[in-house]
Amino acid sequence: MATKRMNILVYSGNRRISQYVERGGSYVGFCAGGYYASKRCEFEVGNQKMEVVGNRELAFFPGTCRGCAFPGFVYHSEAGTRATQLRITKGSLTKGSIPEFFRSYYNGGGVFVDAPKFKDHGVEVLASFTDKLAVDAGEGSASAVYCKFGDGAAILTSTHPEFSPVNLDRNIDEPGFAKIVEALKEDDQQRRDFLKACFLKLGLQVNQDQTAVPSLSRLHLSSLDVSDTLHMVEALEDLITLQDGEEYIEDENDVFHLQRSSKWSLTSIADALPSIPNSLKDSQKADENDDQDKIIDYNKIVKRLLIHDQQLPESKETPYFNHHAYYANLKHYESQSHNSDPTFGRSLLYGEVVTSTNTLLEKNTQILRCLSTGFTATATVQVAGRGRVIRHPISLTTQAPVVFLQYLAALAVVEGIKTYDHGYQRVPVRLKWPNDIFAADPADATGKTFVKIGGILVNSHYSTSEYLSVVGVGLNTTNAAPTTSLNALNPPAPFTLEKLLARILTCFSTLYNRFSQAGFDKYFEDLYYKHWLHTDQIVTLEAEGGIRARIRGITADWGLLKAEELGWEDRATGRLLTLQSDSNSFDFFKGLIKRKV
């Protein structure tokens, strides 16, 4: 039962989960996750091919999870599936709309044995089976339990209340499965209500609105100089194919339907959606227009790419991003820069709703190879988002290694914020090694508490004697959840996305060009240490047997973190250690550098 995954979590992994919950976190375990988080698991006892019996480390539920609760379970099939009825325990869930009964998807889960007897251990029965069970459940027949654990809590379920019936294929060749799907559909609202009530009990924020994931919008390709857009299209010509008179590019991850503004009026663009071949059109409708809980395969949806080869997009085309303001600010910042080759951000891909700007570039390598240095993609909403993206190839003739790109991007973000305009140098943002942006928590009047507001993600591919690197930058500018935002830090005036993006990109362009010529020299070292949080910080090195060390900086050759070992009374021993950013993670608040799992 998920033995390989269990082996990964044994000891250190489980310890981290346990500590997280004990310190106020929440754990939710569905089906196998319920077995795993119980003190003891008893699965198919006596069945030589399937039996799994033993104690478990997490033990959020202090008793035994015993299964299968119902007969017929077969791995990787729907043979043992049923729409089992659950009865909600009165008073156990107090927030939200609470159903009395509902049917839930079941396939192999257990029952929490003697759950009512553990009330004094902080256990509450949230729901119980109403059908006759195939195993001894002891007192009660608990199918879902709430378990208090330290300052946090866990909710464990035997069934799958997270399963929406719209994602179940009623045409599966299994007797009676279509009727099971129909039964689950009838109780789907009660399923949602129960799941929301469980999350509320854990203290989580729950959106009570029935809001569907927004449909993907058109992508807009533009440039500061229109001729650059034309050159990009020319570079893509070998990838373009014609279907029914329409232009398409089919890459490794996505299919793009090209529309050129020179061939369309704004009215026709608004009135006429892309002429997608019937096979593609049918799959797109099926994916985008079904039930709001349906899992959408965004890779199958054709992406509509509008090429602005005559003028910039107007505000009515992109109401949440003003291209004229963005390019005007980019030009203004470039005029103030000493950079003789300002290339970053001059060509832009924007979408109001996209999958992920990172994926659109990184996973479509044929297009990626055709784009010029500094090409940038951004979005208002990302349904599978991994940040704002800058793309640039790095020639192998460059002396410095690729690892420094994350440092350059982090520096560009902090410098961009502090040089956004007059008075912004006091905005309290800092760097956490290796790739996070932190800000002083406005809820702490002392200014000593920092919270994460952004991060950097770099992915590189080696192709035809160059590195193709996608640098993803995610920055919380306006949304105060889950930690804080730039606009909550009391800047002289609120940041605007267009102006901030322009400033970060011009800073990145200047830093990148200097880096290409001089590497990570003393200028970069001084600038990085000026903004980071770790000067002389004492830390514990988990991978080195828990020794204490003092942070001394970053190596100029490979960008490794330097730490000096400390001995008795924190005196330096003279031993210097270097740590790789891709092998270690830095828990700033605990002063702990630990090996990534």
Side-chain angles (χ1 to χ4, degrees), residues 20-144:
Y20 167 75
V21 176
E22 189 172 23
R23 292 168 181 170
S26 298
Y27 173 100
V28 179
F30 300 117
C31 195
Y35 281 115
Y36 189 75
S38 298
K39 185 175 182 179
R40 182 172 175 81
C41 167
E42 295 182 2
F43 179 79
E44 289 296 285
V45 177
N47 185 329
Q48 294 183 354
K49 293 183 178 180
M50 298 175 65
E51 179 179 292
V52 178
V53 178
N55 294 333
R56 296 291 177 260
E57 292 180 329
L58 291 180
F60 294 142
F61 176 65
T64 299
C65 185
R66 181 177 293 152
C68 295
F70 302 104
F73 174 76
V74 177
Y75 280 113
H76 313 300
S77 90
E78 302 288 354
T81 300
R82 64 170 58 199
T84 188
Q85 187 180 65
L86 305 181
R87 180 180 64 254
I88 310 305
T89 306
K90 290 184 178 180
S92 63
L93 299 170
T94 59
K95 297 180 180 178
S97 177
I98 316 298
E100 185 177 358
F101 296 94
F102 78 100
R103 287 168 289 185
S104 183
Y105 176 96
Y106 170 89
N107 192 5
V111 60
F112 298 99
V113 179
D114 287 326
K117 293 183 179 180
F118 294 102
K119 183 177 181 180
D120 292 342
H121 292 75
V123 173
E124 298 179 39
V125 177
L126 303 182
S128 301
F129 293 109
T130 61
D131 299 327
K132 184 179 179 180
L133 302 179
V135 294
D136 182 7
E139 182 180 332
S141 56
S143 63

